[in-house]
Amino acid sequence: MSKVRSAFLQGRLRSFLPYGPEDLPARIAAERAAPRAELAAAVEAYLQRLGAPESSLAAARRLSHPESRVVITGQQAGLLTGPAFTLYKAHSALKLAYAYDDAERPVVGLFWVASQDHDTAEVSRVHFLDADERIRELALELPPAVPVARVAFAPYRERVHEFLEAFGGDAGVRKRIERALEGEWTYAEAFARLLLAFLGPHGVVPLDPMAPELAPLFAPAMERELEDPLASSMAINAAGEALKSLGIPPSLGRPAGATNVFLEGEDGRRRLLYYDDGVFSDGVRSYRLEDLRAILRSDPARVTPAAGLRPVVQDAVVPTAGLVVGPGEMAYVAQLAGVYRLHGLEPPAVIDRMHGLVLEPPVRRILEKYTLDPWAFLEAPEEAMLEALARTSTAAAELERGLRRVEDEFSRMLAALPALDPTLTGAFERSQRRLEGEIERLRGKLLAAELQQKRIVRDQYRRLLTHLRPLGRPQERVYGFLGYLLKHGPEVLERLCKAPARGHVTLEV
């Protein structure tokens, strides 16, 4: 668990993230100005162009209500919706919106499609786990440093279809995917159409800030930022220093002269703007404020926020009450309270998203055999497996008991030191840390020895890693959720839609 997320869940970051999940009802009830009529009309036009189902269109229209509120989340436009956590975030926002929705104050679940993002390498690949427990990867070569809203999807469609056909699985699910990808769409629009294909019937409302229908709405906030272009960077750095004082490394840091604004150049590449003495520069050419204002008027999608400004620009237009985030986003949103104040906004309630784990039959049987908690295995595979083996292996159990006795004895000696000689405490604590490191290494060697001796156990451990911690990362950050839909049919999605909005959720298939 990240330090920021741990501190947030313990309630230690109130000065950085003033509102948490428990504050969502109050944030929904609080006054919130926003251009609702314009937003609703723009979102509806965008959704109609994408062929959205009526459930999403109806939800978009409800944004025009003068008391409407939003629970929002977002993510980069990943290939085939990217890793599973993308859909988990969308589910969290939708479920929370449902929970607080009211005819007198509609609450709508929005998904911000990060179409402005130009890290195309991050969204160019996807992994599925096939029926033979092999990891299948699809990787595309996308143009570098170009916002995905400018990348056409059509040149990649055949590769995607070939991948889906080779993967196999549910024919109905595959047809839904292929229908969503048919047409002349951008990479970001193809992503949004997939969201609509699977979560549209549940009322998801994607929002693409670079869509021609929507981009003009964000221009006033961008112009406001450009009028004092270094203030938000200074606020972010000040928050970073304050986090450091709590022992938490900041996620964001702005170098001298760096703004929080990107400009898409004439060559299509997106570059960060720097500012000095009234002049902006992207490293290629220089601009005055009036030049950037002219670009905002003629093509507002070219001037876009960096991560340290993006949620604030979003909330300048969207009546956000709750922001659903993952651990990485929580780390940088913790530095943005000052940026919100610069734009005259109150931060929303920040809500940790649902964390999901799909358990397929083979992995369920192994977990049951060893009475293993899948979440404990996900957090520390070696330690969890060793504890499980200690319950079934006499030799492993005896060695583990010995290691625990050493740890316990060392802790008792440390507790007794102040009465004997307080000056030895520091040296003893350092020795304890070294001992703990050695014991962890011994545990790893014990597991390796046990796995070496017992081929069946070794194979089962590797299967658990393949399912729960592929490529050394949590399942939800590697495998695409659409892969599970292809393997097991739309019932997997129904299970997700019935899951709670937050917490650790296992989806058995």
Side-chain angles (χ1 to χ4, degrees):
M1 184 183 296
S2 72
K3 284 190 175 183
V4 168
R5 181 168 177 251
S6 177
F8 174 72
L9 295 177
Q10 294 166 11
R12 296 194 291 116
L13 292 182
R14 281 294 183 174
S15 58
F16 301 92
L17 297 166
Y19 305 114
E22 68 280 3
D23 301 304
L24 181 56
R27 299 314 305 149
I28 289 171
E31 289 296 318
R32 184 68 174 81
R36 289 175 171 84
E38 296 91 335
L39 175 66
V43 172
E44 185 179 1
Y46 163 70
L47 293 180
Q48 284 179 335
R49 180 166 60 83
L50 293 189
E54 179 55 33
S55 299
S56 292
L57 291 169
R61 293 183 196 111
R62 300 176 76 228
L63 290 169
S64 64
H65 191 288
E67 291 297 325
S68 68
R69 301 290 189 274
V70 161
V71 177
I72 194 167
T73 191
Q75 188 61 33
Q76 289 98 327
L79 178 58
L80 293 173
T81 70
F85 73 80
T86 301
L87 264 67
Y88 299 159
K89 291 171 83 172
H91 164 73
S92 291
L94 279 172
K95 197 85 172 186
L96 288 166
Y98 293 156
Y100 294 100
D101 188 34
D102 185 87
E104 299 302 314
R105 183 175 284 137
V107 182
V108 180
L110 260 61
F111 189 100
W112 178 280
V113 180
S115 61
Q116 302 160 330
D117 194 280
H118 62 281
D119 186 355
T120 50
E122 191 172 359
V123 298
S124 65
R125 65 189 63 235
V126 69
H127 298 88
F128 288 174
L129 183 65
D130 72 13
D132 296 319
E133 297 184 302
R134 293 175 300 179
I135 300 176
R136 299 287 191 96
E137 180 187 32
L138 172 62
L140 306 176
E141 291 187 14
L142 304 183
V146 177
V148 293
R150 307 295 196 195
V151 177
F153 187 81
Y156 308 101
R157 188 183 299 120
E158 186 175 347
R159 284 276 318 277
V160 174
H161 285 183
E162 289 171 356
F163 175 78
L164 294 172
E165 188 173 344
F167 187 82
D170 189 281
V173 170
R174 190 165 67 253
K175 285 179 181 175
R176 286 170 74 180
I177 295 172
E178 291 174 349
R179 277 198 302 268
L181 300 179
E182 287 300 321
E184 297 303 313
W185 308 107
T186 68
Y187 206 83
E189 289 166 349
F191 170 88
R193 278 175 57 83
L194 281 173
L195 275 187
L196 289 166
F198 291 97
L199 290 178
H202 300 276
V204 73
V205 178
L207 184 157
D208 179 345
M210 285 188 72
E213 299 89 346
L214 288 153
L217 295 178
F218 302 98
M222 295 307 302
E223 185 168 350
R224 191 160 54 244
E225 178 72 11
L226 290 168
E227 288 169 359
D228 193 357
L230 298 181
S232 62
S233 295
M234 293 170 62
I236 286 168
N237 286 342
E241 290 300 316
L243 281 173
K244 280 184 192 175
S245 69
L246 298 179
I248 298 173
S251 176
L252 295 176
R254 311 307 286 160
T259 73
N260 275 298
V261 178
F262 277 93
L263 176 66
E264 185 183 340
E266 297 292 344
D267 60 357
R269 291 187 170 229
R270 187 173 181 246
R271 299 178 178 91
L272 186 67
L273 287 173
Y274 284 75
Y275 180 77
D276 182 40
D277 194 25
V279 178
F280 295 85
S281 173
D282 64 359
V284 175
R285 58 164 291 192
S286 297
Y287 303 85
R288 294 284 181 180
L289 177 58
E290 53 268 28
D291 300 325
L292 297 176
R293 282 174 171 159
I295 293 172
L296 276 170
R297 286 192 296 271
S298 63
D299 190 357
R302 286 181 57 196
V303 184
T304 52
L309 183 62
R310 202 275 304 159
V312 179
V313 169
Q314 163 195 287
D315 292 354
V317 175
V318 176
T320 304
L323 175 63
V324 174
V325 299
E329 292 160 298
M330 187 178 290
Y332 75 73
V333 172
Q335 293 180 243
L336 303 188
V339 185
Y340 271 96
R341 286 192 291 272
L342 287 170
H343 283 257
L345 297 169
E346 192 73 9
V350 174
I351 302 151
D352 189 33
R353 67 169 170 83
M354 182 199 109
H355 296 263
L357 200 54
V358 178
L359 298 184
E360 299 181 271
V363 77
R364 283 210 312 274
R365 288 192 290 269
I366 299 171
L367 291 168
E368 289 166 3
K369 176 181 178 179
Y370 294 102
T371 60
L372 264 170
D373 176 3
W375 293 98
F377 184 90
L378 187 69
E379 188 70 26
E382 287 188 359
E383 184 177 327
M385 193 69 188
L386 186 61
E387 289 178 358
L389 290 174
R391 293 191 290 269
T392 58
S393 166
T394 305
E398 182 57 37
L399 284 168
E400 177 63 17
R401 282 195 292 271
L403 292 174
R404 289 189 184 278
R405 283 197 297 271
V406 172
E407 288 179 308
D408 292 344
E409 188 62 31
F410 216 85
S411 295
R412 280 194 292 272
M413 292 170 65
L414 183 61
L417 266 183
L420 297 173
D421 187 348
T423 64
L424 295 176
T425 301
F428 211 80
E429 286 176 343
R430 289 191 293 274
S431 297
Q432 184 182 36
R433 285 193 292 272
R434 287 195 295 270
L435 177 65
E436 288 170 350
E438 287 300 320
I439 286 175
E440 284 309 308
R441 278 190 285 276
L442 282 171
R443 284 197 172 103
K445 290 180 178 180
L446 171 61
L447 175 61
E450 190 74 9
L451 295 179
Q452 187 65 34
Q453 291 175 20
K454 296 184 178 179
R455 180 169 171 265
I456 293 176
V457 176
R458 181 172 69 247
D459 290 346
Q460 290 173 334
Y461 178 67
R462 287 174 177 168
R463 289 181 84 183
L464 287 177
L465 287 175
T466 298
H467 279 263
L468 305 181
R469 226 183 141 72
L471 309 179
R473 290 178 286 158
Q475 179 199 93
E476 65 177 10
R477 303 196 70 84
V478 176
Y479 295 141
F481 195 78
L482 296 192
Y484 292 112
L485 284 175
L486 285 165
K487 286 170 70 176
H488 302 287
E491 296 82 7
V492 188
L493 183 62
E494 295 306 316
R495 286 193 177 89
L496 172 61
C497 291
K498 291 176 182 176
R502 301 178 58 228
H504 287 171
V505 176
T506 53
L507 302 169
E508 295 190 0
V509 296

